[in-house]
Amino acid sequence: MNDIVRSTCCYCGVGCGLLIETSDGRIVGVRGDPAHPANHGRLCSKGASLHLSTRPEYRLLYPQLRRQRDADRQRVGWDEALDHAADRFAAIIAAHGPDSVAFYISGQLLTEDYYVFNKLAKGLIGTNNVDTNSRLCMSSAVAGYKQTLGADAPPCSYEDIALADCLLIAGANPAIAHPIVFRRIEDARAANPGLRIIVVDPRRSETAAIADLHLPLAPGSDIALYNGLLHILLAEGLVNRDYIARHTEGFEALEKIVATYTPAVVARLCGLAEADIIRAGRWFGGAGAALSLYCQGLNQSAHGTHNNAALIHLHLATGQIGRPGAGPFSLTGQPNAMGGREVGGLANLLSAHRDLANPEHRAEVARLWGVPSVPERPGKTAIELFAALRTGEVKAVWIACTNPAQSLPAQAEVREALREAAFVVLQEAYADTDTAAFADLLLPATTWGEKEGTVTNSERRITHLVPAVAAPGEARHDWRIAVDFARRLGLRLAQPLAGNLFPYEHPEQIFEEHRESTLGRDLDIGGLSYSLLDALGPQQWPFPVGASSGRQRLYADGVFPTVNGRARFVVAEHRPTAEVTDSSLPISLLSGRLRDQWHGMSRSGTVARLFNLDDEPLLTMHPADLQQRDLQGGDLASLRNPRGSIIVRVAADAGLPRGCAWLPMHWGSRYMNSAGVNALTTPARDPFSQQPELKHAAVAVDKADLPWQLVVLRLADGGEAGTAGLLASARRLLGDFDFATVGLYGRRQPLVILRAAHRQPLPDDRLREIDRLFGLTDDAAAIVYADGQRQVSKRAVAPGGRLIGVRLAGETLAQGWLKEVMADDSLDAELVRWAVAPIGHRPGRLPLRSPVVCRCADVTAAEITADLASGAGLAALQERRGCGTFCGSCLPELRQMVAAHASDTPGAGTA
Ligand SMILES: Nc1nc2c(c(=O)[nH]1)N[C@H]1C(S)=C(S)[C@@H](COP(=O)(O)OP(=O)(O)OC[C@H]3O[C@@H](n4cnc5c(=O)[nH]c(N)nc54)[C@H](O)[C@@H]3O)O[C@H]1N2
Ligand SMILES: Nc1nc2c(c(=O)[nH]1)N[C@H]1C(S)=C(S)[C@@H](COP(=O)(O)OP(=O)(O)OC[C@H]3O[C@@H](n4cnc5c(=O)[nH]c(N)nc54)[C@H](O)[C@@H]3O)O[C@H]1N2
Ligand code: SF4
Ligand SMILES: [Mo]
């Protein structure tokens, strides 16, 4: 019998519960946890493939140290690694003071990990230089909540989605980024014919597809829109004057301002139709319960805090908060960005939602920790931190659980900072991220399925996680690494207290200290413990001593955590984006997520099937914008602005407005021959939240003339070691071309793909070198085609008639159909010669791949029909193929297929 351990998904902030299945100490499967309130058993494609992402081949397994600049890193033991780190940090602090070192951590750490890092910086070293990737993610949401409601707390619950009459989805694409929240939206749509869904997004996103009203506003014009909606609410008597008078302040000042945001003005600022704006206002104002869901379209803006505030105003002005189905619900990006905020793990925050700027709060935290004081000077936020690293003001940085050499804007500067830094430590679970290249010390961390601690999801729900398997190699828990380092550093800083400050031998001790710090605060979790979470299941905060359950909804009583208990309207005015397009940089570049990849792809990029939906980073633009540049779908384009340039393939998308382009954020230097989208993005940031405007950069897009193309497709034999080895080989070639990407694809067996283009053909000896790296040198099994005149050379290798690899140079038309048949490992031996045919047409005799019905389990209609014909029913199909057991969105179609088969075949489908 295999063991089952309850856990959560480590991808997005929905925080789905799942059951990890282990066998012989290895993770062999995952299923949605029917008992977890976040998802009730559902998972999306990423969560459902987590067990495939745990292969040791891709992990960082032991510490590595570079002793001298430009030397190679060597494997070292943990003691040596941590002593060295402590020596370096202590020496730098002694010479240059505590603010010469910094920590850059992550919303993907557990709360306990976070807590220790925060205490290490602020309590032991005496610097507030501890910031996180949440600065790129949720900091405008934090500042928006605090400015208006008084505290950083999403007041709603997922259950509210089913109870709303109007859903305003603004700057969020949950169909892709929070799929299980989206399943709830689809369910609400099906259950409530009166539900009105408004989507505010410059693009016609996957989420916009189910909207009753899509408002494709000009990038960065959200404040104008929400002020305009408030104008309409006022004009039509849809505000709740009683609520405003009793529970808020500052409305008069805002009312004066929004008077100028007439539908005509707003229509011009946002590029929307007046009638649509009025309709949206009436729907929101007329709804029994109105719920807003929002994310990076609002946060990643140079005026992100006011984007948030302007949206929250709509709820305060109508009293649409603190009631079932109502409220401003900021969707959290990372699985534990909430936990990081709770422990105050940011440069301007302190434990338990305390503020660094508040002397009483500083004194309280110093008392809790038993230190004389916590430093007063605000720490450096992410963008400032890397700027200071570049100038040498900060000399050493400790990075944990994030990949700044990909995810921060203006990569040229970030990478220069990492190169120039005196000492860079990277605490990582996976090997070879873009940041790893810059690390002097690499420390292997445990990750999903291996750790113990707590996480808090978007709806304030805390889950206790326990390990399902042991750490691989010499990897250690993040909290443990930080504690070991802190103790060693304390000795060197002559801080006799250090041992007392970090007495932890188990994460529960850290949790208990964190719990202590929350007593009497808005997020009071005095009543929680690991054992209670295990007994009652995941709980929402607050959960004070004596409570029997967590609070589902905040502010039901209309009392807000401000000095006078009133929520505040703030004056928010329309602002342009930090960079305005002009004739030299005419395109506004948007970026964001694809359904099946996660950020820098360190984990999701190891799972072949997660490339099946999108296996290349495509720049999408309006067809007319492409045409204007003489570009067609599939062509290569160069994107550039003064910060950098990259080359990508383009595709047409009529859902983008003219003048905008869209590029996924996931591909960095390990998957393409540039830093990806963040070579171009701006470090301009919001004055309150310091969050950078990752969503908009002004760029020029031009056709890239790279006539010579190369594609290699190679089935990976030899299990994951084979795949990892081939990926590594392909990566070594990235730098040889003007354009190149590597990736995976596949179903039964992974396929490794290299795609490249170059100004001129590569000479034959270079092609032979490529063949060698991909293991395509077996002449006996090879079929080749070469035409010197056309500069075309093709090679297919098919031992025993089974096609295992193809290299197409000069002309690569066959790659499309070859990719599909190789992914299925299904090409008939007779058809292999077509792989190297002079013109790479698809062989007429090749059957078309049947359409995919279940995308999560990648099951086709043909496979389902075959199973049905052999007597299977729905349950047997689910058991055998896994289809319809993850997100559930294909269940209606599956049921229909089962029913259709049953009506054709009396007596069928009983299994
Ligand atoms: N598959 C997948 N899911 C993820 C992640 C992942 O990497 N992969 N990451 C997680 C994380 S950390 C986060 S933060 C979330 C992000 O989740 P989301 O914010 O929902 O996703 P994004 O794709 O970043 O951006 C959302 C939308 O904002 C729109 N947008 C751009 N500019 C504007 C604007 O000016 N105004 C408005 N109103 N909209 C605009 C974009 O067109 C895009 O459709 O996703 C989480 N979930
Ligand atoms: N242009 C553009 N840029 C963006 C965005 C955008 O929309 N557009 N979005 C921004 C947002 S919202 C975010 S959140 C950031 C995300 O940016 P990053 O934080 O850089 O993204 P990840 O790739 O998730 O990095 C997390 C790293 O932690 C490692 N890891 C996983 N588990 C563990 C663990 O348990 N311990 C340790 N020590 N390491 C672990 C992973 O292998 C991975 O390399 O990107 C931001 N950058
Ligand atoms: S929605 Fe998908 S990625 Fe997000 S937590 Fe759930 S299973 Fe994981
Ligand atoms: Mo994020």
Side-chain angles (χ1 to χ4, degrees):
M1 258 303 273
N2 293 348
D3 289 325
I4 300 287
V5 175
R6 285 208 134 82
S7 190
T8 59
C9 173
C10 63
Y11 288 119
C12 83
V14 179
C16 296
L18 46 73
L19 304 172
I20 303 179
E21 190 182 344
T22 64
S23 171
D24 295 330
R26 284 191 40 223
I27 294 177
V28 295
V30 289
R31 259 179 302 136
D33 179 358
H36 199 290
N39 58 319
H40 300 296
R42 292 167 162 189
L43 294 177
C44 79
S45 47
K46 289 185 300 302
S49 57
L50 266 173
H51 59 296
L52 303 173
S53 74
T54 59
R55 301 292 314 184
E57 288 81 2
Y58 300 100
R59 296 288 299 278
L60 183 62
L61 295 173
Y62 46 82
Q64 295 170 34
L65 174 65
R66 168 162 46 221
R67 286 171 210 282
Q68 258 136 30
R69 187 166 279 237
D70 302 327
D72 285 338
R73 278 190 302 257
Q74 308 286 330
R75 177 173 180 170
V76 292
W78 270 104
D79 281 335
E80 187 180 351
L82 291 174
D83 279 334
H84 181 88
D87 285 343
R88 293 300 306 269
F89 264 66
I92 291 170
I93 293 166
H96 306 283
D99 288 338
S100 61
V101 300
F103 296 84
Y104 184 58
I105 58 179
S106 165
Q108 294 169 64
L109 289 169
L110 306 185
T111 302
E112 292 75 359
D113 302 330
Y114 238 124
Y115 187 91
V116 177
F117 272 113
N118 197 41
K119 191 174 184 183
L120 161 60
K122 295 172 186 169
L124 177 69
I125 299 177
T127 180
N128 288 312
N129 284 345
V130 49
D131 214 48
T132 90
N133 59 0
S134 291
R135 191 66 63 186
L136 314 178
C137 182
M138 303 313 296
S139 61
S140 293
V142 173
Y145 274 139
K146 287 173 76 165
Q147 284 192 358
T148 54
L149 308 183
D152 170 25
C156 312
S157 291
Y158 296 144
E159 306 255 301
D160 286 315
I161 294 169
L163 304 172
D165 303 302
C166 177
L167 270 181
L168 177 60
I169 306 175
N173 190 11
I176 294 297
H178 296 95
I180 299 306
V181 158
F182 193 69
R183 297 283 95 79
R184 288 185 187 253
I185 297 171
E186 289 175 329
D187 291 349
R189 150 113 300 161
N192 176 6
L195 175 65
R196 299 263 171 70
I197 301 180
I198 307 168
V199 171
V200 182
D201 193 313
R203 299 185 305 146
R204 199 186 313 129
S205 65
E206 293 80 354
T207 300
I210 68 155
D212 299 290
L213 178 61
H214 171 213
L215 298 175
L217 81 179
S221 66
D222 288 86
I223 298 173
L225 176 63
Y226 310 136
N227 282 355
L229 296 181
L230 187 53
H231 180 103
I232 291 157
L233 296 175
L234 280 161
E236 309 219 343
L238 294 169
V239 295
N240 184 339
R241 291 277 176 192
D242 185 46
Y243 191 90
I244 294 172
R246 294 219 310 222
H247 302 300
T248 73
E249 65 185 10
F251 192 63
E252 302 73 32
L254 183 65
E255 196 173 354
K256 279 203 198 87
I257 282 167
V258 301
T260 62
Y261 286 80
T262 61
V265 167
V266 174
R268 189 172 48 72
L269 290 173
C270 300
L272 294 170
E274 261 182 73
D276 285 343
I277 301 168
I278 294 170
R279 188 172 333 144
R282 288 180 182 158
W283 283 1
F284 189 97
L291 184 71
S292 300
L293 302 172
Y294 51 101
C295 201
Q296 299 313 331
L298 301 199
N299 295 349
Q300 289 170 343
S301 157
H303 45 262
T305 303
H306 282 178
N307 284 341
N308 276 263
L311 181 64
I312 294 170
H313 290 161
L314 300 177
H315 291 272
L316 292 175
T318 51
Q320 291 279 13
I321 183 168
R323 295 196 285 111
F329 193 173
S330 147
L331 296 172
T332 314
Q334 299 177 91
N336 196 35
M338 288 286 288
R341 288 144 73 176
E342 289 153 22
V343 302
L346 285 140
N348 55 330
L349 297 180
L350 285 174
S351 310
H353 289 175
R354 290 180 177 84
D355 277 316
L356 190 67
N358 182 329
E360 268 168 50
H361 285 182
R362 287 200 303 276
E364 280 170 20
V365 172
R367 224 173 11 253
L368 277 162
W369 285 346
V371 296
S373 63
V374 290
E376 182 179 346
R377 206 156 90 103
K380 297 214 175 331
T381 61
I383 302 293
E384 299 166 316
L385 193 163
F386 281 82
L389 203 58
R390 197 156 63 94
T391 59
E393 187 189 344
V394 169
K395 302 192 185 308
V397 63
W398 188 297
I399 301 165
C401 200
T402 176
N403 183 19
Q406 175 166 353
S407 50
L408 282 169
Q411 273 300 312
E413 290 178 12
V414 171
R415 291 174 178 206
E416 188 190 328
L418 287 166
R419 251 191 314 272
E420 290 307 312
F423 190 51
V424 176
V425 183
L426 177 65
Q427 189 168 321
E428 245 294 341
Y430 284 77
D432 294 335
T433 63
D434 283 359
T435 306
F438 301 93
D440 298 299
L441 179 62
L442 271 178
L443 300 174
T446 53
T447 182
W448 177 79
E450 299 158 2
K451 302 174 74 160
E452 171 153 21
T454 51
V455 288
T456 310
N457 73 3
S458 272
E459 59 166 3
R460 292 173 280 107
R461 191 178 295 282
I462 301 175
T463 303
H464 173 222
L465 307 177
V466 293
V469 291
E474 293 180 9
R476 291 188 180 173
H477 302 312
D478 286 298
W479 69 268
R480 164 67 73 195
I481 300 171
V483 164
D484 274 359
F485 171 70
R487 291 179 186 164
R488 288 168 210 250
L489 183 65
L491 292 176
R492 286 161 176 82
L493 296 179
Q495 284 265 20
L497 278 175
N500 302 345
L501 275 183
F502 300 92
Y504 324 114
E505 291 303 328
H506 189 275
E508 187 160 17
Q509 297 167 285
I510 307 170
F511 177 84
E512 283 166 359
E513 194 177 308
H514 162 55
R515 178 179 64 194
E516 216 36 48
S517 77
T518 68
L519 297 180
R521 309 273 316 153
D522 66 306
L523 73 169
D524 193 329
I525 52 164
L528 285 184
S529 62
Y530 280 8
S531 58
L532 186 132
L533 286 168
D534 295 340
L536 294 187
Q539 296 296 321
Q540 288 176 288
W541 60 251
F543 196 115
V545 177
S548 56
S549 67
R551 197 167 315 148
Q552 210 184 2
R553 222 163 271 116
L554 306 181
Y555 316 134
D557 54 3
V559 178
F560 292 87
T562 53
V563 179
N564 59 8
R566 287 168 179 272
R568 294 178 290 240
F569 290 96
V570 300
V571 167
E573 287 262 36
H574 170 70
R575 296 260 174 288
T577 49
E579 291 188 345
V580 181
T581 52
D582 60 21
S583 56
S584 65
L585 301 172
I587 296 290
S588 173
L589 178 65
L590 315 179
S591 61
R593 282 139 180 97
L594 298 175
R595 192 195 68 178
D596 288 352
Q597 292 298 344
W598 178 260
H599 299 162
M601 296 160 68
S602 61
R603 177 191 295 278
S604 57
T606 67
V607 180
R609 70 149 98 128
L610 291 181
F611 286 83
N612 290 358
L613 207 54
D614 305 276
D615 71 337
E616 255 198 301
L618 296 178
L619 179 87
T620 49
M621 289 175 84
H622 190 277
D625 281 338
L626 287 182
Q627 206 176 20
Q628 198 183 34
R629 291 166 175 76
D630 189 26
L631 281 164
Q632 289 186 344
D635 286 349
L636 296 174
S638 89
L639 273 70
R640 99 197 119 66
N641 66 15
R643 282 181 296 274
S645 70
I646 65 173
I647 293 178
V648 287
R649 203 180 299 284
V650 300
D653 179 357
L656 273 160
R658 299 273 328 246
C660 284
W662 160 267
L663 189 64
M665 65 174 290
H666 307 294
W667 277 260
S669 305
R670 290 164 65 250
Y671 289 90
M672 68 192 290
N673 65 336
S674 71
V677 68
N678 285 328
L680 302 159
T681 45
T682 166
R685 53 194 199 273
D686 179 274
F688 306 104
S689 69
Q690 306 298 327
Q691 180 161 355
E693 186 154 278
L694 287 162
K695 282 280 178 276
H696 313 280
V699 298
V701 178
D702 295 292
K703 188 167 178 148
D705 194 19
L706 301 174
W708 189 81
Q709 310 242 344
L710 174 109
V711 171
V712 184
L713 302 161
R714 177 66 159 97
L715 267 185
D717 292 313
E720 282 304 319
T723 312
L726 279 168
L727 266 177
S729 296
R731 272 186 193 130
R732 251 176 272 147
L733 295 166
L734 281 174
D736 294 0
F737 304 97
D738 293 322
F739 161 80
T741 63
V742 298
L744 298 173
Y745 198 81
R747 299 179 182 91
R748 269 165 237 138
Q749 204 173 350
L751 188 61
V752 177
I753 307 182
L754 169 73
R755 294 186 176 93
H758 207 57
R759 223 154 335 161
Q760 75 230 17
L762 246 53
D764 283 348
D765 58 327
R766 294 287 297 119
L767 291 181
R768 269 197 300 280
E769 171 67 14
I770 292 171
D771 293 343
R772 199 186 55 73
L773 277 169
F774 279 94
L776 299 176
T777 47
D778 178 0
D779 285 334
I783 330 175
V784 296
Y785 167 84
D787 180 341
Q789 202 106 52
R790 286 168 64 215
Q791 293 177 315
V792 170
S793 155
K794 303 184 181 186
R795 181 181 182 88
V797 176
R802 174 176 174 246
L803 182 62
I804 59 159
V806 186
R807 187 259 303 146
L808 307 171
E811 184 274 300
T812 61
L813 270 178
Q815 60 164 309
W817 66 266
L818 278 172
K819 183 179 84 176
E820 293 302 335
V821 293
M822 290 180 75
D824 279 338
D825 202 357
S826 68
L827 189 66
D828 214 71
E830 288 162 48
L831 294 179
V832 166
R833 66 195 161 78
W834 281 79
V836 295
I839 306 285
H841 294 311
R842 180 189 173 84
R845 281 173 43 210
L846 193 68
L848 282 170
R849 184 166 201 248
S850 154
V852 176
V853 174
C854 173
R855 288 197 169 277
C856 300
D858 195 44
V859 182
T860 64
E863 287 165 328
I864 293 165
T865 312
D867 283 8
L868 291 174
S870 71
L874 182 61
L877 269 172
Q878 287 178 315
E879 178 67 31
R880 200 178 302 168
R881 303 231 180 232
C883 50
T885 62
F886 297 109
C887 78
S889 65
C890 66
L891 269 174
E893 189 176 350
L894 273 178
R895 288 204 187 93
Q896 223 166 27
M897 290 179 78
V898 173
H901 179 77
S903 65
D904 290 349
T905 329
T910 46

